[in-house]
Amino acid sequence: MEQSSDELGAAIEMSFKKKATVPRNWMVVDSCGEGMVVDWDKFDIMRRLPINGRDLRILDPLLSYPSAILVRDTAIILNLEHIKAIITTDEVLLRDPLDDNVAPIVEELQRRLPLGTGRGEGEEEELLEARSGEVDSYEVTDFPFEFRALEVALEGVCSSLDAQTRELEISAYPALDELTAKTNSINLDRVRKIKSSMTRLTSRVQKVRDELEQLLDDDDDMADLYLSRKMAMSASVSTESLKTESRFYTSRSGSSKGSVVTASQEENNVDELEMLLEAYFMQIESTMNKLTTLREYIDDTEDYINIQLDNHRNQLIQLELFLSSGTVCLAVYSLAAAIFGMNIRYPWRENHGFLFKWVVMVTLVVCGFLFLWMISYARHKGLVGS
């Protein structure tokens, strides 16, 4: 009976794994820049790393989750646009490495992760000077592994969004100018598609920007990103605990307190990460400003088109007024023609053939005067232009 229940539990577990997880390709890049493509599901990753299943849910491409940077004790989980990765202190797990958008990120990780190499001569110093003018000395090898991987991911996301924004600008501005010059259904539909693309792209950029801004506004969140520091401090705390249990506790208590104070100060130091996040926050802010400028240009174009349409509508109203006035005058002329065209014998119709031309001439003069009076009255009231 116990064996059958175990088999039933195993069958349920296998069925749950098949339904809940779909094997996906992952690229594992270590600190030496060596990569290996593996086919893991959520359970394989959870056995390899102490990560909850709900944290891996945001990496599922079948589910639409906004951009997020989750920090756990031993890993950083990234869901930024096309980059879905897990960063630890010595390796990076990148989802779908064969995708066209992800392949350049894999190459960049393999190029720059080993000892932080990959930048040109003098480029690292220029980057540091741009981030902070107060930094006098800095060793690339001291930059934690997780920050080097995070930098590659942020650079890939910001560059991709900026490139998409530039492509949108290249197609948007000529289309808007063409719509301004000639308003028709083809140009309107073209601008409508561009505006829809701009709205979606703005939403994506805004999500990445908000995530970076949230990290920059909270020092505790930035401190949690120091995975290497947390591991080193945990090891240091364990060592200090062993020392306090030794018989030399009294003689070493002073140095122990000093080391705890130093560790606490180091834990609160987030200058390196702040400079890193600030640099890419400014880049994503620049992209956001481009989209804002494009949106304003689209709004201005829409206002201009609406003004043009209002002007055309007013012209049509004026034309309708002229036609209505002419119709009234023709109705008066038709009334006179109808009266004199009746086949009724009257004494005054006999031997008065000259009356025909006078009736025609007087009726035309009266109708013309009536038309001019109606137009003058409309202009006096401001109903038509001068």
Side-chain angles (χ1 to χ4, degrees), residues 342 344-350:
M342 294 181 180
I344 300 176
R345 299 182 64 85
Y346 288 99
W348 58 269
R349 297 182 61 181
E350 297 177 359

Side-chain angles (χ1 to χ4, degrees), residues 13-32:
E13 182 179 359
M14 290 297 296
S15 176
F16 174 77
K17 289 177 63 177
K18 290 181 179 179
K19 293 181 179 180
T21 62
V22 179
R24 296 287 181 179
N25 288 331
W26 291 80
M27 170 68 76
V28 181
V29 183
D30 57 17
S31 58
C32 297

Side-chain angles (χ1 to χ4, degrees), residues 66-68 80-81 157-166 168 197-213 280-292:
S67 298
L80 299 175
E81 291 295 314
V157 171
C158 294
S159 300
S160 175
L161 292 175
D162 188 67
Q164 295 178 41
T165 301
R166 289 197 300 269
L168 186 63
S197 302
M198 185 205 64
T199 302
R200 291 192 296 268
L201 182 58
T202 302
S203 177
R204 291 160 51 196
V205 172
Q206 184 67 39
K207 290 176 182 178
V208 177
R209 178 188 176 277
D210 292 342
E211 191 66 25
L212 293 178
E213 185 177 13
Y280 291 104
F281 177 78
M282 296 302 296
Q283 184 175 350
I284 202 71
E285 184 72 18
S286 175
T287 303
M288 192 68 190
N289 292 335
K290 293 179 182 178
L291 292 173
T292 303

Side-chain angles (χ1 to χ4, degrees), residues 158-264:
C158 294
S159 300
S160 175
L161 292 175
D162 188 67
Q164 295 178 41
T165 301
R166 289 197 300 269
E167 292 178 358
L168 186 63
E169 287 179 332
I170 293 174
S171 60
Y173 286 112
L176 293 171
D177 294 338
E178 187 175 352
L179 178 63
T180 303
K182 184 178 181 181
T183 304
N184 53 29
S185 59
I186 298 177
N187 292 335
L188 285 173
D189 185 67
R190 182 182 176 188
V191 172
R192 179 189 62 82
K193 294 178 180 178
I194 291 175
K195 186 175 181 180
S196 300
S197 302
M198 185 205 64
T199 302
R200 291 192 296 268
L201 182 58
T202 302
S203 177
R204 291 160 51 196
V205 172
Q206 184 67 39
K207 290 176 182 178
V208 177
R209 178 188 176 277
D210 292 342
E211 191 66 25
L212 293 178
E213 185 177 13
Q214 183 179 358
L215 286 176
L216 286 170
D217 291 340
D218 195 335
D219 291 344
D220 294 335
D221 290 343
M222 286 192 289
D224 290 338
L225 289 173
Y226 282 80
L227 302 180
S228 301
R229 178 189 295 177
K230 289 192 293 186
M231 293 185 62
M233 291 184 63
S234 299
S236 176
V237 170
S238 301
T239 303
E240 294 297 336
S241 299
L242 294 176
K243 289 182 179 180
T244 56
E245 295 177 359
S246 66
R247 58 183 178 178
F248 302 104
Y249 170 78
T250 304
S251 60
R252 299 184 180 180
S253 59
S255 61
S256 175
K257 292 179 180 179
S259 62
V260 171
V261 173
T262 303
S264 177

Side-chain angles (χ1 to χ4, degrees), residues 76 78 87-92 113 143-152 224-230 276:
I76 302 174
L78 296 180
I87 301 174
T88 64
T89 56
D90 56 357
E91 65 181 7
V92 179
L113 284 185
F143 206 50
F145 171 83
E146 60 270 18
F147 290 171
R148 301 203 302 270
L150 180 62
E151 182 179 11
V152 173
D224 290 338
L225 289 173
Y226 282 80
L227 302 180
S228 301
R229 178 189 295 177
K230 289 192 293 186
L276 173 65

Side-chain angles (χ1 to χ4, degrees), residues 46 51-59 65 70 72 77:
M46 291 170 60
I51 299 177
N52 296 325
R54 61 178 177 272
D55 296 332
L56 296 177
R57 191 182 304 145
I58 68 171
L59 302 180
Y65 278 90
L70 301 182
R72 296 299 179 256
I77 303 175

Side-chain angles (χ1 to χ4, degrees), residues 104-151:
I105 305 300
V106 175
E107 297 177 359
E108 193 69 14
L109 285 172
Q110 293 178 339
R111 186 172 67 91
R112 292 172 55 174
L113 284 185
L115 299 179
T117 59
R119 295 188 178 93
E121 183 178 358
E123 186 178 349
E124 183 69 28
E125 288 76 5
E126 294 178 0
L127 180 61
L128 291 175
E129 290 177 0
R131 291 177 181 173
S132 176
E134 299 178 356
V135 179
D136 296 330
S137 61
Y138 185 78
E139 293 294 336
V140 179
T141 55
D142 292 340
F143 206 50
F145 171 83
E146 60 270 18
F147 290 171
R148 301 203 302 270
L150 180 62
E151 182 179 11

